[in-house]
Every structure is written in C-alpha cells, then in structure tokens.
Amino acid sequence: MPGPGPHTMYTIGFGVGLMSLSEGRFSPQHCIIYATNAFLGPDLGSFSEWLTSTIGFGHNLGSLIMDTIHHPFYYILILGFPLSFFYSWISRIFLQKGILDSISGVPLNRLQCLLLVSAGSISHFFLDHLFEENGHSSMYTWIMSTGWWKGRAPVNTDSVVVVGSLCTCLFGGFIYINRVKQSKSFRTQWVQSVKLILVIASLYCVWCASQLYLRNPPQPAVGEEADLGVIVFLAIYLFLPHSLCIMSMNPKDNHLDTTELPL
C-alpha cells in the first residue's frame, strides 16, 4: 500500500495548487492540517497495531484500534471533533509563535479544522483503495465487479441510447448554462453547472445499478466498463475531500483581515 511519501505529496501538492488558485484563502495552515490527516490520520490505527505487536503487550487492543480508526469515516466520527479543537489551538500557536502563516492573519476555527480532518482521512483512502492488497482491496474489487467480464460484452441498443442521451445532455446543458449573454453571474453559472453534473451522474448511476442489480439476468450497463464503481469511487474519494477543502477556505470578507473568524 502507499507509504507516507505518496500520501503527503498528493495532499500537499493539491493544497499548494489550491493555495495558488484561491490566492491564499486556502492557506499553508490549511495545507498542513489536511496533509497531516491524510498521512498520519487513519494510519494511527496501523501504528497502534504495530506498536502493540512490537512491545508484545496489548495486541488485542492494538487490533481493535486498527479496525476502528483505520477507516475513512470512523476516523472522522471518533476523532474528528476532538482533533478539530486540537488543530484550532495549534493554528493559534503557529500564528503567535510565527511558525506557520495563515495569510489572513487569523487562526483556523474548529469547523474549518473538522472539514480538513475529514478531507484528509478520505483522501488517505483514495490512494489506499487503489494501491493496497495487491489490487484486491474490497473497494477496488467492488469497482471492478460493476464491469462486465463474462466474455465479450454485448452492445445493447438501450444502453447506447440512454448513455448517449445522458452524455449529450451533460455537454448541451453545460454549454447552455455557460453561453455568452449580457448579464450573467459567475456564481450562478458555477452552481448551475454543479447541479447539472450531479443530476446527470445520479441518473447515470441509477441506470447502471438497474442493469447490474435489478435485471434478471443482469446485463452490461455500458459495455464492459465499470462505470458505476468508478463514478461512486471518484465522488466519495476524490471530489468529496476536495470539496471539503474548498469549503474550509477562509471567506473573502475575512481574507487579509485581522479579526478572528467565528467558531
């Protein structure tokens, strides 16, 4: 499975990119907290199991911690709230001691830290699910199971019509939303574009699931492609943590302000 290097490089790399795009609203403090929870976060369970097995004491406890903490969502539910207090306090210390800049001049509040803890935990498993257990993790196995491997996949007319229509609606709708017009709001266009993607993705998943799990016998939803698994995986482990990072950014009104963000 991926070690500390890939987890850290992936999350810090994304964080630096978001720092640049947001002009500092996603600050170095955001970046460090996000990367720390992607690198060390869920692996606290693995470390506990290794430590107890090494010292020869409390192995059952270490295994329990491993099974509980080394999970993308249990980690958030169990440690998210206390860690948000801890990181908010650390953020204040970083500023007071001049250790790490927040660009805005104010420490991160607890909600921002909770979002970053959550994003880091989920991002950790983006790499783990793809590259651990010799490609046989439960998530990766499920993703591949949504494809068609029983010989050559037949090309069904209904699949061509449905998938073609959905993709056409996505392209056409996006062009329509972002067409050239006199009075337009970028935020409105952005929100409408996101809604369009979510609607099309949901309908696409419903179509794939209906073909794989509701039809008897099942038939390939999109040829041999594992589209259902890929879309669900990307939604949870790629787009969700990145969205949480964006939600944690300092608001524009407080950017480069010296007043403290509300908790």
Side-chain angles (χ1 to χ4, degrees):
M1 67 176 64
H7 286 301
T8 306
M9 294 175 194
Y10 166 58
T11 48
I12 287 186
F14 171 77
V16 169
L18 193 54
M19 282 170 53
S20 175
L21 291 174
S22 66
E23 297 183 343
R25 290 174 58 209
F26 191 85
S27 69
Q29 288 198 5
H30 286 80
C31 197
I32 285 297
I33 294 174
Y34 171 49
T36 298
N37 285 275
F39 152 57
L40 181 62
D43 275 347
L44 286 173
S46 302
F47 176 75
S48 299
E49 186 177 44
W50 169 83
L51 181 63
T52 54
S53 63
T54 300
I55 63 178
F57 176 76
H59 179 67
N60 291 336
L61 176 61
S63 298
L64 176 62
I65 295 175
M66 168 63 181
D67 294 337
T68 305
I69 299 299
H70 196 261
H71 187 280
F73 302 108
Y74 290 165
Y75 175 80
I76 299 169
L77 292 174
I78 296 171
L79 296 179
F81 194 63
L83 284 177
S84 66
F85 278 83
F86 173 73
Y87 286 121
S88 181
W89 174 74
I90 286 292
S91 173
R92 188 182 303 275
I93 297 299
F94 279 168
L95 277 181
Q96 291 175 348
K97 302 296 184 181
I99 298 173
L100 188 64
D101 196 7
S102 70
I103 307 299
S104 65
V106 295
L108 302 182
N109 61 46
R110 292 191 290 270
L111 176 58
Q112 289 175 301
C113 292
L114 179 60
L115 292 172
L116 292 169
V117 169
S118 303
S121 176
I122 299 171
S123 289
H124 178 93
F125 286 91
F126 173 74
L127 296 182
D128 271 12
H129 284 322
L130 290 177
F131 302 111
E132 71 176 354
E133 299 179 22
N134 197 26
H136 296 289
S137 67
S138 57
M139 172 58 71
Y140 192 79
T141 300
W142 175 77
I143 292 172
M144 300 308 294
S145 73
T146 63
W148 190 265
W149 312 109
K150 303 173 183 178
R152 185 177 180 84
V155 179
N156 300 308
T157 304
D158 51 353
S159 295
V160 174
V161 172
V162 171
V163 173
S165 298
L166 289 174
C167 291
T168 300
C169 289
L170 181 57
F171 277 104
F174 183 81
I175 292 172
Y176 177 78
I177 290 171
N178 295 280
R179 67 193 184 280
V180 178
K181 51 186 177 180
Q182 294 295 328
S183 59
K184 61 180 180 180
S185 166
F186 171 74
R187 178 172 178 79
T188 300
Q189 290 176 302
W190 176 82
V191 170
Q192 290 178 345
S193 297
V194 171
K195 289 180 179 178
L196 172 67
I197 295 170
L198 291 176
V199 169
I200 297 298
S202 299
L203 293 175
Y204 201 105
C205 288
V206 168
W207 164 255
C208 292
S210 67
Q211 301 305 295
L212 293 171
Y213 302 120
L214 299 182
R215 291 195 62 149
N216 189 18
Q219 75 171 23
V222 193
E224 65 181 15
E225 312 299 344
D227 282 7
L228 176 62
V230 171
I231 291 174
V232 171
F233 176 77
L234 291 178
I236 296 175
Y237 293 101
L238 183 66
F239 295 120
L240 176 58
H242 291 175
S243 298
L244 293 174
C245 286
I246 293 172
M247 292 169 60
S248 75
M249 293 193 307
N250 293 327
K252 290 183 178 180
D253 293 342
N254 295 86
H255 188 47
L256 298 179
D257 193 0
T258 56
T259 58
E260 184 175 349
L261 292 173
L263 295 178

